[in-house]
Amino acid sequence: MATTTATTADAPAHEHAHHPPHLQHHFVSSEQQFDSAKLGMWLFLITEILLFSGMFVAYTVYRVWHPETFTAASAFLDWRLGGLNTLVLLFSSYTVALSIHYAQKDRLDRTFWMLVITLACAGVFMIVKAFEYGGKFAEGVFPGEAFDPVGHYAPLADIPYARQFFSIYFVMTGIHGFHVLVGMGIFLWLLFRVRRGDFNSEYYTHIELAGLYWHLVDIIWIFLFPLLYLIGHGGGGH
Amino acid sequence: MSHGHHHIIPFQTLTKVFIGLVALTILTVITARLDFGPLNFLHVPIAIGIAVIKTMMVVLYFMGLKYDNRVNGLTFGIGTIFVLVFIVITLFDTAFRGDLGNVDTETIMDRQREEQLLQQREPDPDALRVAPGAAAAPDTAAATDS
């Protein structure tokens, strides 16, 4: 900060000499460019939080209206698969935080491998999710009108409003899963750019912002896991 | 270096936060499966509480808000307040529907007393008699109500 103030006076002549290639002309310094990008990302994350909060509101309203349905229907979700996915996402959040840590220390080789692990974790998450969805679709557990449970899920047909619970489940986890897929695309793109040598400890904005996005996806799952998977296994005879 | 402004979060801190998050995940599974008997209503507040603590750990350390520009924390804080407004104000409607739907001049208590009286009253045998012709039967039933 102090350096910025000191150089402002002779900025035009002086700064152009040290103009780093990534610095765009409408910013005073790399610092300001980085901070602006980050604030913009936080504003975007707030819109994401509000998008998901609409679904959390639907969840809350239906759970307040039909608490027994939520407890009974939730018991048909496999908490072990949900728990596994929670650990996978937490680990990927850790590795993406480490990728930024290493970028700040100019260890871009490690940044690359941390991003590879993050991408792999996202892949594992989607594969587990595919198995969960597949098992439900095979036995007629669909969102909305098509809901017609058979086999293992047959008892759901006798639970009033079980269809609403599963519609909420599919929409919330589905839109979350879509965010995981988008994240995978972003990490793949970052891997190419890291390999190409685009980033260094002075300029790693893209990795920082992708990390923020990925942590938000993790936070949404931190709430989805107990609220969807764990409410049917507590005491009280369920 | 002029970039000392970018706080590098130490490897140990990140690792400790990750271990803490895993521990809290295990804790949330255990508490959800325990039977608290008469205190079972605590399941939801405990689950939400643990999720909020985990979120704070991710936001403060992984997302670095603890070391960041205050304006980013302000953005996140204001956004979170609006999520709470969204949920609470919606529940003011949906959780109390019916209770507040009374637009009659008489009070809810008066109406409940009136309903009790109607239920206790011996029905008029004439009104219960099925009229000739099956199609007319629902109309007769409706007429009894008024």
Side-chain angles (χ1 to χ4, degrees):
Chain A
M1 288 306 263
T3 21
T4 318
T5 335
T7 49
T8 335
D10 53 340
H14 181 75
E15 281 227 313
H16 255 284
H18 298 84
H19 195 126
H22 61 260
L23 181 60
Q24 293 175 335
H25 272 272
H26 48 280
F27 289 112
V28 173
S29 63
S30 292
E31 209 58 63
Q32 192 206 14
Q33 180 172 292
F34 180 81
D35 287 346
S36 309
K38 212 166 168 182
L39 177 60
M41 192 65 196
W42 273 102
L43 287 169
F44 168 68
L45 292 188
I46 284 305
T47 68
E48 288 279 79
I49 291 172
L50 289 170
L51 161 74
F52 277 99
S53 76
M55 290 175 272
F56 279 106
V57 165
Y59 172 94
T60 313
V61 167
Y62 273 92
R63 186 161 175 191
V64 168
W65 276 346
H66 311 294
E68 344 52 46
T69 298
F70 272 61
T71 334
S74 164
F76 285 85
L77 297 178
D78 193 339
W79 68 269
R80 285 159 299 188
L81 290 180
L84 171 69
N85 262 350
T86 309
L87 296 180
V88 167
L89 271 197
L90 286 177
F91 186 68
S92 71
S93 253
Y94 172 58
T95 53
V96 87
L98 283 180
S99 77
I100 294 161
H101 171 89
Y102 287 125
Q104 289 171 322
K105 287 183 164 177
D106 259 329
R107 296 295 308 268
L108 272 302
D109 51 331
R110 292 195 177 182
T111 296
F112 181 83
W113 286 109
M114 286 299 147
L115 288 175
V116 168
I117 298 172
T118 309
L119 183 61
C121 285
V124 170
F125 180 93
M126 287 315 291
I127 290 167
V128 173
K129 209 86 216 100
F131 273 111
E132 284 190 81
Y133 275 19
K136 287 181 181 60
F137 291 160
E139 299 195 290
V141 180
F142 289 103
E145 287 288 296
F147 186 75
D148 183 22
V150 292
H152 168 64
Y153 292 101
L156 282 175
D158 299 324
I159 303 173
Y161 302 106
R163 179 195 293 187
Q164 274 78 355
F165 173 83
F166 277 97
S167 293
I168 288 169
Y169 163 83
F170 278 117
V171 170
M172 293 186 93
T173 57
I175 293 182
H176 178 267
F178 174 72
H179 279 79
V180 174
L181 284 178
V182 169
M184 289 175 80
I186 292 170
F187 288 130
L188 204 58
W189 170 66
L190 280 182
L191 284 177
F192 280 112
R193 293 205 58 176
V194 171
R195 203 48 356 160
R196 206 167 68 185
D198 285 0
F199 304 119
N200 52 59
S201 65
E202 303 280 306
Y203 181 63
Y204 57 91
T205 315
H206 302 66
I207 311 175
E208 174 88 15
L209 301 193
L212 288 178
Y213 170 83
W214 194 247
H215 294 309
L216 184 88
V217 173
D218 187 25
I219 288 172
I220 301 293
W221 189 260
I222 285 175
F223 279 92
L224 286 181
F225 172 54
L227 290 178
L228 289 173
Y229 287 81
L230 291 178
I231 55 180
H233 300 277
H238 289 290
Chain B
M1 214 150 113
S2 66
H3 282 265
H5 184 71
H6 286 193
H7 184 90
I8 301 181
I9 303 161
F11 180 85
Q12 277 90 345
T13 309
L14 294 174
T15 308
K16 278 181 201 158
V17 170
F18 171 63
I19 293 169
L21 287 168
V22 172
L24 284 173
T25 304
I26 296 168
L27 185 71
T28 198
V29 172
I30 292 172
T31 52
R33 296 175 68 81
L34 279 181
D35 190 348
F36 299 142
L39 296 178
N40 265 340
F41 66 90
L42 285 176
H43 274 132
V44 178
I46 288 175
I48 303 268
I50 293 174
V52 168
I53 294 169
K54 285 169 81 180
T55 301
M56 290 315 291
M57 288 166 73
V58 171
V59 167
L60 288 177
Y61 294 97
F62 282 180
M63 298 171 98
L65 263 197
K66 191 183 173 193
Y67 317 96
D68 211 355
N69 239 329
R70 287 279 174 82
V71 70
N72 295 335
L74 188 71
T75 310
F76 177 69
I78 291 174
T80 312
I81 289 171
F82 274 98
V83 172
L84 291 176
V85 168
F86 194 0
I87 291 179
V88 172
I89 306 278
T90 311
L91 281 179
F92 278 155
D93 168 15
T94 59
F96 301 101
R97 252 180 214 178
D99 297 4
L100 300 174
N102 179 22
V103 287
D104 289 348
T105 45
E106 55 189 343
T107 63
I108 292 173
M109 295 298 282
D110 278 340
R111 262 169 50 163
Q112 283 174 342
R113 247 175 261 127
E114 210 174 296
E115 276 169 27
Q116 276 176 350
L117 279 175
L118 277 170
Q119 279 177 349
Q120 284 161 4
R121 201 187 58 180
E122 273 302 312
D124 180 9
D126 269 353
L128 288 177
R129 201 180 55 221
V130 178
D139 289 335
T140 327
T144 343
D145 283 351
S146 53

